[in-house]
Amino acid sequence: MRDSLVQKEPGFITARDLSFAGILHDVKKSGTSLQPIFEAFTNSIEAIKIGVNEGGRDKGKIIISIFSEEKTDQSFEFKSLTIRDNGVGFNDAEFSRFNTFKDSSKGFKNLGSGRVQYVHFFDTTTITSVFCQDENYYEREFVLSKNKYFLNKNAIVNLKHYKISTEEHPYTKVTFSNLLEKSNVYNNLNAVILKDELIKRYLHFFCFNSKLLPKIELKFYVGNILKDSQEISETDIPKFDKKEIVNVFYSKLSYDASKIEILEKKEELEVTSFKVSKNLLDNNDLKLISKGEVVEGTKINLSGISKADNINGNKYLILVSGNFIDERDTNLRGELDIPRKQGSNSFDAFHSETIFIEDIEKSVNDGLLKLYPEIEVIKKKHENDLKELKEMFFIDDDNEVEISFNDDDKRILEKYYEAQAKKEAKIDANIKKSIDRLDDLDTSAPNYEEELEIEINKLVKVIPEQNKRTLSHYVARRKLVLELFQKILDKKLKIQGDDSRNKDESLIHNLLFHQKSTNSYDSDLWIINEDFIYFRGNSEFKLKDLEIRGEKVFKNSFDEEETRYLKSLGENRLIKRPDVLLFPEESKCIIIEFKSPYVNVSSHLTQINTYASLIRNYTNDNFEIKTFFGYLIGEGIEPRDVQAGVTTFEHSYNFDYLYSPSQKVTGFDSKENGSIYTEVIKYSTLLQRAKLRNSIFMERLGIK
C-alpha cells in the first residue's frame, strides 16, 4: 500500500489509506539494538549495486561515522551516527519505493519496514541524497520521526527540499540523531565493535561477494576528533574452504501418474563451503544464492549436521549458486520459482520437467558428506542420540514422522506424540464405530453370530494396540526413574559433586517418596513393593502430626506415666519423624527408614522397633495398630553385624537381603502385644528387584 508517490514539493508525506500510528503499533521495535544501522547499511549495499549495474561504476564506497562525547569518568555518550554511500541515490523511483509500506519489489534483504525501525530508535533521522535524473543532478533531503508533530499529520516523513544540485556525484547520507532511549549498546559503540557486528550480520553476503565488496570504512569520533578508523575488506572475510559441482536431476510424473520418474536431464550447481569460527558464525547454514544475493525466503537445510553443532571450533556455511537458481528468480523479494514436492503447486509442477527444492537439498547434502567425512561422524552421533531417545521412551519407528537434526529432544518427542495421538484418535473412532454398529445387530437374524464375531474381531485387533501404547509410557517412566536411582547410587548427578553424604540420602528419599508429602499414589515406592503406592501414608511427618482421613493418629493428652516416658532422658519422642509411614489396613502399619549409602545400617537396627512401639502404645483408641512391617534400607550392610545385633534376622539368598520373620512389639499398660516383620535391604538390591519387574512388563509388551 502506497503512502504517496514521488513528491517534489517540500512538506509532510502523508498516508492516504493507512494510519502511521497503527503501523508503529503493529511493527514493533526490534529487539536488536543496532537494527536501524543494519537497515541503513542494507540500503547502501542495494543502492551501490543498482548504481554499478546501471552505470558500470566501480564497487562503490560506504563510510559509517560514529560521533560520541567523552564523559568525566572516561566513558562515552553516543551523539549521532552517519552512513554515507555513493550508490544510485534517492531518485524518484527509489524515493517512491521508500515511501511504500511493505513494498515487495526486488531488493537485497530489504524488509520494507526499515524506516519504522529508524523512528522507533531515534527522534530524528535525516537523509540527504544527490541523484541523477533526466541528465540533471538533484538533491533531496527529508527527515523521519514519530514525534507528535509528525503523527498529527499522519506522517513519519517530512521532505525538507528538492532542488537542482551543483554536486555531480550521486550519494546518500543517513544521519541518526537523538536516541529515544538511553542505550549502553550505543554508548559503547566504536569502530572495532561495529566492524565485528557488521561482519557477523552480513557474513553470508560478504562470503559470497568478498571480491566485489564496496570499500567499507568505519570511523569513530570523540568530540569531532577522529580517534579510530577501521575497514572491512576482503582479508576480514573467511575464505572458502572448498568448491564442488553437484548435479541435480529433473523429475517428471510418469504417464500413468503412478510414480515420479528421475530423468537424465540435469543442472549443475556450484557448492561453495566455508569453515567459520563458531565465534563468528552462530549457526551452521545452507543458503541458495541468486544473482549474488542470499535468498532468505527459500528454506533449505543441512541434513547431516544441526545448526548448533561445531567441529573443532568451526561451523559450516554452505552457499549454493548456479544459472538454474538465477533463472528461477522472481520479482518477489526472497522468493524463487522452485517448487517443493509437498507444496500446494507440486501437482502442477509435475505436468512438466522440474527440479524440486528437496532435490537440491539432497544433492548438496550428499556432496557435503563426501567433502567432509567429519560431518558423517556428527550425523551418526545424531542418529544414535535419536535411537537412544526412542528406546528410552519406547517409541516405535514411524516413517510418517520427519525428524530434522535441528530438532531438539522436546520437538522430536512432540512430533512422535502428535503422530501417535492421531493414530490413537483413529483407533478410538474405529472402536466407537464398532460399538455404534451393535445397534444394528438383530439377535434373531440367521447371521447374527457371524456379524457379532466380525465386530468382536475388530475390537480384539485395536484395543491391545491402544493399551500397549498406554502401558509403554507407564513402563518408560519407570525405566527413567530406575536410571535416576542408579545415577544417585553411582554419584553421577552434578548436585552430588560436593561429597555431601546427607544429600545422597535426601536424594533417594525424595526419589522414592517426596519429603513432607502425603500423596503415596504419585510416589515411586513401587521400587520397594508394587502395593505400597496404593496405601495411605506420609513422608517425614512428626508423629504428633500424623493424620489418617483427617483424624489425628496420636492422642492429644496422656496420663502422668505416659507423659513421663515420652519426654524422659531429655527427649520428646512424639516429634520423631519416621521417613515413611504407610497404613494398608486399619490394624497394620508399614515403617520405612532410609539411611545414607555410607553408614553401617546395623547401627540403626532398633530404630524401626522404637517407632512401632510408639505407634502401638500411644495412638488414639480408634487406631488399634498391632501388625507392623519394617524396612531398613541402606547400602552399607554387613550381614554378620546385623545378625550379631539382632539374632532373629535371617539371610535370604534369593535377593541378598536379611529378614526377621517376627519380633514382639511390647504393649505397655495392659495393651496387647503386637508383632513386626522387618527387612534390612540394600538400595542396589531394591534396584535389581525393580529392574527385573520392569523388564517383565517390557517383555509382555514386546519391547526390547
Side-chain angles (χ1 to χ4, degrees):
M1 184 177 294
R2 294 187 179 277
D3 308 340
S4 173
L5 294 177
V6 177
Q7 180 170 334
K8 298 182 180 179
E9 294 297 325
F12 287 98
I13 300 177
T14 59
R16 294 176 178 174
D17 302 310
L18 51 82
S19 165
F20 269 117
I23 290 173
L24 294 172
H25 179 269
D26 293 340
V27 182
K28 303 298 183 183
K29 181 180 179 180
S30 172
T32 303
S33 297
L34 299 180
Q35 189 62 33
I37 299 175
F38 296 149
E39 295 284 355
F41 185 81
T42 295
N43 290 340
S44 292
I45 292 286
E46 181 182 352
I48 288 173
K49 180 182 176 183
I50 294 171
V52 170
N53 289 342
E54 291 181 354
R57 287 181 282 147
D58 61 14
K59 294 186 291 187
K61 185 176 184 179
I62 300 173
I63 302 174
I64 304 179
S65 301
I66 306 164
F67 297 91
S68 294
E69 292 289 343
E70 189 170 7
K71 298 196 294 188
T72 54
D73 59 357
Q74 294 184 334
S75 61
F76 300 97
E77 182 178 5
F78 174 85
K79 291 300 181 182
S80 65
L81 182 145
T82 66
I83 301 179
R84 179 180 175 123
D85 67 71
N86 62 348
V88 68
F90 269 99
N91 56 32
D92 287 353
E94 293 302 313
F95 190 59
S96 175
R97 188 164 67 83
F98 183 83
N99 286 294
T100 304
F101 181 62
K102 289 188 177 178
D103 173 46
S104 62
S105 61
K106 187 66 181 173
F108 171 77
K109 291 177 70 174
N110 191 330
L111 303 179
S113 60
R115 59 182 174 163
V116 177
Q117 296 304 325
Y118 294 173
V119 301
H120 273 323
F121 281 85
F122 295 95
D123 180 61
T124 304
T125 300
T126 303
I127 300 176
T128 305
S129 184
V130 170
F131 56 91
C132 181
Q133 192 155 298
D134 300 328
E135 299 183 355
N136 290 314
Y137 282 87
Y138 296 87
E139 180 180 286
R140 175 184 273 124
E141 183 176 89
F142 51 100
V143 178
L144 286 81
S145 181
K146 67 174 183 180
N147 65 40
K148 290 183 179 179
Y149 187 58
F150 278 69
L151 292 183
N152 286 341
K153 304 287 186 179
N154 195 24
I156 61 171
V157 179
N158 184 12
L159 179 62
K160 304 299 290 184
H161 66 255
Y162 180 98
K163 63 185 181 181
I164 296 287
S165 175
T166 57
E167 181 92 25
E168 293 188 355
H169 298 284
Y171 77 88
T172 296
K173 183 173 78 169
V174 179
T175 303
F176 298 117
S177 305
N178 304 320
L179 270 169
L180 292 175
E181 297 179 13
K182 290 183 178 180
S183 169
N184 285 331
V185 172
Y186 280 90
N187 287 336
N188 294 328
L189 194 62
N190 56 40
V192 174
I193 292 174
L194 185 55
K195 176 180 177 177
D196 291 342
E197 292 292 337
L198 288 173
I199 291 175
K200 288 187 68 173
R201 176 75 175 210
Y202 293 88
L203 187 65
H204 297 167
F205 175 78
F206 287 167
C207 283
F208 194 79
N209 297 277
S210 59
K211 295 187 180 301
L212 300 174
L213 288 182
K215 185 175 183 180
I216 303 172
E217 295 182 358
L218 302 103
K219 299 179 181 295
F220 178 57
Y221 293 87
V222 178
N224 292 322
I225 298 173
L226 180 63
K227 292 293 186 179
D228 186 27
S229 180
Q230 298 286 325
E231 184 175 338
I232 298 176
S233 64
E234 184 180 349
T235 58
D236 296 305
I237 311 304
K239 292 179 171 53
F240 75 87
D241 184 54
K242 295 180 181 179
K243 284 184 184 285
E244 183 77 4
I245 299 297
V246 298
N247 295 318
V248 186
F249 292 88
Y250 283 80
S251 302
K252 187 177 181 179
L253 199 64
S254 63
Y255 286 112
D256 61 359
S258 63
K259 61 181 179 180
I260 300 173
E261 295 180 341
I262 307 299
L263 307 179
E264 292 185 3
K265 182 180 178 181
K266 64 184 180 182
E267 295 284 351
E268 290 186 346
L269 298 178
E270 183 176 76
V271 178
T272 307
S273 59
F274 299 81
K275 281 186 178 180
V276 184
S277 168
K278 65 181 181 180
N279 298 323
L280 190 58
L281 183 64
D282 291 332
N283 298 310
N284 295 299
D285 231 336
L286 172 59
K287 295 290 186 182
L288 299 184
I289 304 293
S290 174
K291 300 176 182 177
E293 295 180 5
V294 179
V295 180
E296 298 290 352
T298 302
K299 300 301 180 185
I300 182 168
N301 297 308
L302 288 169
S303 62
I305 188 170
S306 76
K307 290 185 178 295
D309 288 323
N310 71 81
I311 301 175
N312 297 324
N314 292 319
K315 292 187 181 290
Y316 290 77
L317 173 62
I318 313 300
L319 304 178
V320 183
S321 59
N323 292 333
F324 173 77
I325 298 175
D326 292 344
E327 291 166 359
R328 295 305 186 276
D329 214 335
T330 70
N331 288 327
L332 295 177
R333 181 182 308 110
E335 290 190 18
L336 297 173
D337 185 20
I338 305 176
R340 286 189 173 274
K341 288 181 181 178
Q342 303 299 324
S344 58
N345 298 323
S346 59
F347 182 80
D348 294 335
F350 272 124
H351 285 293
S352 59
E353 300 171 350
T354 191
I355 289 177
F356 290 97
I357 284 291
E358 291 90 339
D359 298 326
I360 297 175
E361 189 172 74
K362 184 178 186 307
S363 295
V364 171
N365 279 292
D366 288 347
L368 286 175
L369 291 178
K370 296 177 183 178
L371 288 176
Y372 296 104
E374 60 265 36
I375 292 181
E376 181 69 31
V377 176
I378 294 291
K379 181 180 179 182
K380 288 182 179 178
K381 178 183 180 300
H382 284 297
E383 290 172 347
N384 289 334
D385 289 345
L386 176 60
K387 181 181 178 182
E388 289 180 6
L389 187 68
K390 290 165 70 174
E391 289 176 350
M392 180 179 293
F393 292 97
F394 306 135
I395 296 172
D396 294 328
D397 290 330
D398 191 333
N399 293 330
E400 296 181 5
V401 179
E402 294 185 2
I403 300 298
S404 165
F405 287 138
N406 291 313
D407 293 332
D408 59 15
D409 290 349
K410 177 176 178 291
R411 183 59 188 137
I412 291 171
L413 292 173
E414 283 176 350
K415 285 184 175 181
Y416 276 110
Y417 292 157
E418 286 166 3
Q420 179 179 309
K422 290 178 182 178
K423 290 181 179 179
E424 289 180 352
K426 186 176 180 180
I427 290 172
D428 289 346
N430 289 334
I431 293 173
K432 178 68 165 52
K433 285 180 181 179
S434 290
I435 293 173
D436 290 344
R437 281 194 292 267
L438 295 178
D439 295 338
D440 299 326
L441 294 182
D442 181 358
T443 57
S444 63
N447 65 342
Y448 162 69
E449 292 292 343
E450 295 176 7
E451 293 295 322
L452 180 60
E453 189 66 22
I454 290 172
E455 297 305 325
I456 291 173
N457 287 337
K458 289 178 180 177
L459 287 174
V460 166
K461 287 180 181 179
V462 298
I463 289 178
E465 185 63 27
Q466 184 186 49
N467 291 340
K468 177 182 175 181
R469 278 195 287 269
T470 302
L471 287 172
S472 293
H473 285 295
Y474 179 76
V475 176
R477 185 199 174 279
R478 287 191 165 200
K479 181 182 178 184
L480 291 178
V481 171
L482 294 176
E483 288 184 1
L484 180 57
F485 194 3
Q486 185 72 67
K487 287 180 181 292
I488 294 173
L489 293 182
D490 294 341
K491 290 188 70 68
K492 289 185 177 180
L493 299 185
K494 292 180 180 178
I495 196 172
Q496 295 174 287
D498 62 0
D499 292 326
S500 173
R501 297 188 174 189
N502 291 334
K503 185 177 293 181
D504 294 342
E505 180 183 342
S506 177
L507 287 170
I508 293 171
H509 190 149
N510 282 297
L511 173 75
L512 297 173
F513 192 0
H514 206 281
Q515 292 169 301
K516 307 300 182 184
S517 173
T518 60
N519 186 3
S520 56
Y521 185 78
D522 287 336
S523 75
D524 286 296
L525 289 172
W526 59 269
I527 292 176
I528 304 174
N529 186 299
E530 287 287 347
D531 293 336
F532 284 4
I533 61 174
Y534 303 113
F535 302 153
R536 294 184 301 273
N538 54 72
S539 174
E540 208 179 48
F541 276 65
K542 293 177 181 178
L543 290 174
K544 68 183 184 66
D545 295 329
L546 289 181
E547 292 184 358
I548 298 178
R549 294 189 298 273
E551 186 177 354
K552 288 281 188 181
V553 174
F554 279 80
K555 294 188 292 187
N556 289 324
S557 61
F558 301 94
D559 63 30
E560 184 177 347
E561 175 56 22
E562 289 174 330
T563 301
R564 183 202 66 76
Y565 165 68
L566 290 173
K567 294 190 176 181
S568 64
L569 302 178
E571 292 190 44
N572 184 349
R573 290 168 175 78
L574 290 187
I575 64 171
K576 291 181 179 293
R577 295 184 299 183
D579 286 339
V580 175
L581 293 178
L582 300 174
F583 301 94
E585 296 177 18
E586 298 300 330
S587 62
K588 297 180 179 179
C589 177
I590 297 169
I591 306 170
I592 304 173
E593 278 297 308
F594 305 119
K595 297 303 171 188
S596 169
Y598 309 100
V599 305
N600 188 337
V601 171
S602 63
S603 302
H604 303 274
L605 291 174
T606 61
Q607 186 175 13
I608 288 177
N609 297 62
T610 300
Y611 292 143
S613 177
L614 291 169
I615 294 170
R616 177 72 194 98
N617 290 287
Y618 300 103
T619 55
N620 280 312
D621 294 338
N622 295 343
F623 301 101
E624 187 66 15
I625 301 173
K626 296 184 289 185
T627 305
F628 298 88
F629 302 88
Y631 295 86
L632 184 59
I633 308 172
E635 194 65 19
I637 298 177
E638 169 52 60
R640 294 190 177 189
D641 279 349
V642 175
Q643 292 177 315
V646 178
T647 58
T648 57
F649 273 100
E650 300 178 20
H651 200 285
S652 169
Y653 293 95
N654 291 331
F655 266 117
D656 188 28
Y657 68 96
L658 294 105
Y659 67 97
S660 175
S662 179
Q663 296 179 57
K664 181 173 69 175
V665 179
T666 302
F668 301 138
D669 303 323
S670 301
K671 269 187 173 288
E672 183 181 347
N673 292 334
S675 66
I676 182 168
Y677 166 90
T678 310
E679 288 185 11
V680 177
I681 188 167
K682 291 182 178 181
Y683 292 122
S684 53
T685 301
L686 288 179
L687 186 59
Q688 183 184 359
R689 284 182 182 179
K691 283 183 175 180
L692 180 60
R693 292 199 304 274
N694 216 42
S695 67
I696 293 172
F697 269 124
M698 293 164 64
E699 288 175 9
R700 295 283 178 86
L701 291 170
I703 299 170
K704 295 181 180 180

